[in-house]
Amino acid sequence: MIGQAKRLIELVKIETQSSNAIKNMVAVTSGKGGTGKSFFILNYAYQLSSMGERVLLIDLDHNLANIDVMLNLTSENTIGGFLLNKVLLKELPTEVRPNLDVIFGDSGKLQLPEKRKEIIDYLFSSIRKMGNEYDQILIDTGAGVHADGLYLLSKADSVALIINPDPTSVMDGYAFTKLFLKEYGKREIKVVVNKCDNEAEGKTAFDNLNNATTHFLKTELKYLGTINYDNDVYKSIKEQRIFSEEYSESEVSNQIKSIISSIKP
Ligand SMILES: Nc1ncnc2c1ncn2[C@@H]1O[C@H](COP(=O)(O)OP(=O)(O)OP(=O)(O)O)[C@@H](O)[C@H]1O
Ligand SMILES: [Mg+2]
């Protein structure tokens, strides 16, 4: 294992020398599960790709990977194959729509060995090398505030925290922010409030979270926007369709579109 880890560190050094590294890699996260990370990032990816941007979506939720299920697709080549040195990362993307490629994850099958940080470093330097082929690389992650998850997020260029408007979700968002900033210093955290009754409810939830982080953690968060609760979201997931493809004129799709404009630096 020590030899393998050494080799990984060497590979990282070589790979980070690449000058074409992508600079706008966004990863989604949440304190607790089920806030809508996978729904949001898939639909965000789809909408961006339909605007003509070349998008790569990577499912790095190794416990409960589900972008494949949401798309009703399977692939032999998952991120686990890459981590186990069986395939190259560039062999993994599957084109699911024009301009939209996905790298599928592994649900619970992947037992990462020791030296996880080195493995995450290697993974991200390899992902960045694919920056030539994409305008945007988006990363879905599992919920929770465990050390590996936080480290993984720290490797992205920006973090989008997906919360819901109820006070417990706002508190989870605060707990995430506190831990992440403590571990990795001052960073911009972008916030989406999902499953809201209306814009006002989402903005109030954001203000509550932002007031707490500003007061106690001396850090202001960036509000990306609100997404309403819509029964058709559940329906589209159940039917394994992309919501924004099927309901392109819905309020929720328009809200995701306006998040795309506010996320641009
Ligand atoms: N805007 C919305 N309106 C209605 N239902 C929603 C909305 N967003 C997400 N959901 C529902 O919430 C559930 C969880 O969504 P999703 O799987 O995207 O969450 P997640 O944060 O990725 O969960 P996990 O932490 O388990 O990965 C799904 O059943 C989905 O249908
Ligand atoms: Mg998910």
Side-chain angles (χ1 to χ4, degrees):
M1 185 58 226
I2 288 174
Q4 197 187 341
K6 255 190 179 167
R7 174 79 186 127
L8 282 178
I9 294 165
E10 279 163 21
L11 286 169
V12 171
K13 278 194 194 136
I14 297 165
E15 298 227 355
T16 43
Q17 284 159 6
S18 164
S19 57
N20 296 313
I22 193 157
K23 287 275 175 274
N24 54 353
M25 199 192 287
V26 180
V28 283
T29 188
S30 67
K32 280 214 186 102
T35 59
K37 295 179 295 299
S38 300
F39 158 72
F40 169 71
I41 202 72
L42 173 62
N43 283 274
Y44 179 89
Y46 169 75
Q47 288 207 28
L48 263 182
S49 67
S50 64
M51 292 169 186
E53 300 224 8
R54 296 164 308 160
V55 181
L56 173 63
L57 171 61
I58 309 177
D59 191 347
L60 289 188
D61 183 347
H62 71 267
N63 282 325
L64 294 163
N66 50 21
I67 298 289
D68 51 348
V69 181
M70 290 169 92
L71 289 166
N72 194 17
L73 289 170
T74 48
S75 174
E76 285 292 296
N77 286 340
T78 59
I79 200 81
F82 166 75
L83 293 177
L84 299 170
N85 288 325
K86 290 189 179 151
V87 275
L88 298 171
L89 196 72
K90 65 177 185 206
E91 293 175 295
L92 294 185
T94 301
E95 186 182 41
V96 301
R97 294 293 185 279
N99 293 322
L100 176 57
D101 287 0
V102 174
I103 294 181
F104 296 110
D106 299 84
S107 282
K109 282 180 277 177
L110 192 61
Q111 295 298 324
L112 285 183
E114 298 299 304
K115 299 281 175 196
R116 288 160 187 257
K117 281 197 173 177
E118 281 83 355
I119 290 169
I120 293 171
D121 287 346
Y122 176 50
L123 173 62
F124 272 81
S125 60
S126 306
I127 294 172
R128 280 187 194 278
K129 270 190 83 178
M130 295 177 75
N132 280 335
E133 282 143 64
Y134 298 101
D135 300 311
Q136 271 277 346
I137 296 182
L138 304 170
I139 295 172
D140 191 17
T141 74
V145 286
H146 50 94
D148 288 340
L150 293 180
Y151 185 64
L152 194 148
L153 291 171
S154 78
K155 306 294 288 182
D157 300 311
S158 66
V159 169
L161 171 65
I162 316 300
I163 63 167
N164 298 144
D166 56 285
T168 50
S169 184
V170 171
M171 275 311 296
D172 292 341
Y174 178 79
F176 163 79
T177 306
K178 187 175 171 187
L179 280 167
F180 190 57
L181 296 178
K182 185 168 161 247
E183 199 67 34
Y184 295 104
K186 223 174 168 59
R187 276 164 188 259
E188 186 176 73
I189 297 175
K190 300 165 173 169
V191 180
V192 173
V193 194
N194 184 32
K195 304 192 194 181
C196 296
D197 286 340
N198 49 48
E199 296 276 346
E201 186 187 41
K203 186 64 173 55
T204 303
F206 171 79
D207 287 342
N208 289 340
L209 174 58
N210 192 39
N211 287 341
T213 62
T214 307
H215 184 75
F216 295 111
L217 310 175
K218 311 288 173 243
T219 302
E220 279 190 46
L221 306 175
K222 182 175 161 60
Y223 177 61
L224 285 184
T226 287
I227 301 174
N228 285 355
Y229 186 92
D230 183 338
N231 282 323
D232 289 332
V233 170
Y234 178 68
K235 201 168 149 238
S236 69
I237 290 179
K238 209 168 71 181
E239 290 170 1
Q240 297 176 296
R241 294 166 195 252
I242 299 178
F243 174 87
S244 291
E245 187 172 38
E246 203 166 354
Y247 302 95
S248 57
E249 298 304 321
S250 64
E251 169 129 40
V252 163
S253 290
N254 284 329
Q255 288 171 319
I256 294 170
K257 195 179 293 167
S258 70
I259 289 173
I260 290 178
S261 10
S262 56
I263 214 167
K264 297 233 156 118

